[in-house]
Amino acid sequence: MSETRNQKPKFGAAVPSALIRQWSIPARHFRWVTAVGFLLATGLLVSVIGMAYRETRQQIQSSDSVIHSRDVLSAIADYAAATKSASNAVTDYYANGTESDVAAFTTAKATIHVMIDRLQRLTADNPTQHRLAENLNSQMGQAVVFLQQVIDLHRQGKKGPDDLQGITKAIKPVSAELNKTYETMIRAENDLLKARSNAQAGAARRAIRLELWGGVLALLLMMSVLSVFLRESSIRLRAEQELAQRMLNSNSAFETGWRILNNLTLCCVRKTRNALPPKKKFAC
C-alpha cells in the first residue's frame, strides 16, 4: 500500500483532478501572471541598463577629470623645465658671454609665457588653481625682469659676483614667492588627481557590480517565470490527456451499451414475431 502511494505518475498518465487544482493557476489568471512576470523582468533589465548608462557617464566624466589633471601637471612640469632653462642660460651668459645663451634665454622665456597661458586656460574651472596661475604669471614676470638685468650687467662689462649683490637681494623674495606658488599649485593638483582617480575607480567598480547583479536578478526572474509557464503547460497537457482518455472511455462505453441495447431490441423483435400466430390464408 505504501509503495503504491510513493509511486509518481508517469508522463502521459492520468493526473488526479485534485492535484491539478492544487498546483495550477486558474486559466483566467495564467496569462496575466506570465505577462506580469515578463514585464517585471523587462522593467528590471531596462532599469539596470539605465543605471549602468548613468554609471558609465560618471565614469567617463571621472576619466575626463583625470586626463584634465594630468594635462595641468604636464603644463606645470613644462613650465618648471622652461624656468630652469632660462635660469641656466642667464647664469652661463653672465659667466661666459656666449650669445647662444641669450637665444636660449629668449626661447625659454617665450615657452614660460606659453605654459602659463595654458595653465590659466586649464584651470579656468578651478578658482583656486586659476588664482595661483595668475600669481605665477605676475611673479614670473618680475623674475624675468631681474634675469634680463643680469644680461644687461654683463653687456655693461660687469662680470663679478659683487656686481650681482643688488639683483640677488631683490630677486630672493620674488623667487621665494614663486617657489611657494609653484609647490602649492602642484601639490593641490596632485591631490585632485588622486581624488579623481579614486572616483574613476569607484565608478568603474559600481558599474561592474550593477551590470553583474542586475543581469543575474533579471535572469533569475525570467527563469522563474519560464519555469512557471512550463509547469502550467505540463499540467494542462496532462489534464487534456486525461480528458481525452475519459472521453475515449466514455465513447467506448456508449458504443458498447448501444450495441447491447440494439442486440436486445433485435432479440425482442424476433421473439415477438415468433410468438404471433401465423396468418390465415383465404381461398378465393
Side-chain angles (χ1 to χ4, degrees):
M1 186 68 178
S2 60
E3 293 179 357
T4 306
R5 290 181 179 177
N6 294 331
Q7 287 180 355
K8 296 181 179 179
K10 297 180 180 180
F11 182 79
V15 180
S17 302
L19 182 62
I20 295 175
R21 289 194 298 269
Q22 180 180 0
W23 293 101
S24 63
I25 300 172
R28 62 179 180 274
H29 299 320
F30 178 67
R31 293 182 180 179
W32 290 106
V33 171
T34 306
V36 168
F38 279 106
L39 285 176
L40 286 175
T42 304
L44 181 59
L45 282 176
V46 171
S47 300
V48 168
I49 293 172
M51 289 186 288
Y53 175 74
R54 184 188 63 184
E55 293 295 335
T56 303
R57 284 185 60 86
Q58 291 180 356
Q59 186 177 359
I60 292 173
Q61 292 175 358
S62 300
S63 178
D64 292 340
S65 299
V66 169
I67 294 173
H68 180 75
S69 292
R70 288 176 179 171
D71 290 339
V72 173
L73 290 174
S74 176
I76 294 174
D78 292 340
Y79 155 80
T83 302
K84 186 176 181 180
S85 297
S87 178
N88 292 337
V90 170
T91 301
D92 293 341
Y93 178 76
Y94 187 78
N96 303 321
T98 306
E99 289 298 326
S100 60
D101 293 329
V102 178
F105 169 72
T106 303
T107 303
K109 182 172 67 173
T111 304
I112 288 171
H113 290 302
V114 170
M115 290 299 105
I116 291 178
D117 290 340
R118 185 185 176 194
L119 281 173
Q120 289 177 333
R121 291 194 305 271
L122 289 173
T123 58
D125 59 339
N126 189 333
T128 303
Q129 290 291 79
H130 188 69
R131 184 175 63 254
L132 290 173
E134 291 178 347
N135 295 339
L136 200 68
N137 187 29
S138 60
Q139 292 165 3
M140 195 64 216
Q142 297 176 16
V144 168
V145 171
F146 287 120
L147 292 175
Q148 186 64 48
Q149 288 178 2
V150 173
I151 294 175
D152 294 339
L153 283 177
H154 180 82
R155 288 175 176 174
Q156 293 171 6
K158 298 177 182 181
K159 301 179 181 180
D162 296 336
D163 298 328
L164 290 175
Q165 288 183 358
I167 297 177
T168 303
K169 187 180 294 184
I171 202 174
K172 275 186 178 180
V174 176
S175 178
E177 290 295 327
L178 194 60
N179 290 333
K180 181 180 178 181
T181 302
Y182 167 77
E183 291 175 358
T184 302
M185 193 171 189
I186 196 169
R187 183 171 58 251
E189 199 62 39
N190 279 324
D191 292 341
L192 280 175
L193 178 60
K194 182 178 179 180
R196 289 168 176 174
S197 298
N198 292 336
Q200 180 185 14
R205 287 193 297 268
R206 287 194 303 271
I208 291 174
R209 287 197 299 266
L210 180 63
E211 292 173 359
L212 176 62
W213 291 110
V216 169
L217 289 176
L219 179 62
L220 289 176
L221 182 58
M222 294 188 72
M223 289 180 65
S224 300
V225 175
L226 183 60
S227 65
V228 171
F229 176 78
L230 293 177
R231 183 175 64 84
E232 291 296 324
S233 298
S234 176
I235 291 174
R236 279 170 171 73
L237 178 62
R238 292 178 182 180
E240 290 175 359
Q241 291 176 351
E242 179 186 2
L243 179 61
Q245 185 65 33
R246 289 182 178 180
M247 291 181 64
L248 181 61
N249 294 336
S250 298
N251 292 334
S252 177
F254 177 77
E255 290 177 357
T256 303
W258 178 257
R259 290 196 201 97
I260 294 173
L261 180 61
N262 192 22
N263 291 334
L264 289 175
T265 304
L266 292 176
C267 290
C268 291
V269 170
R270 290 194 190 98
K271 288 181 180 180
T272 302
R273 287 180 179 177
N274 294 330
L276 291 174
K279 295 181 180 179
K280 293 181 180 181
K281 298 181 179 179
F282 296 98
C284 297

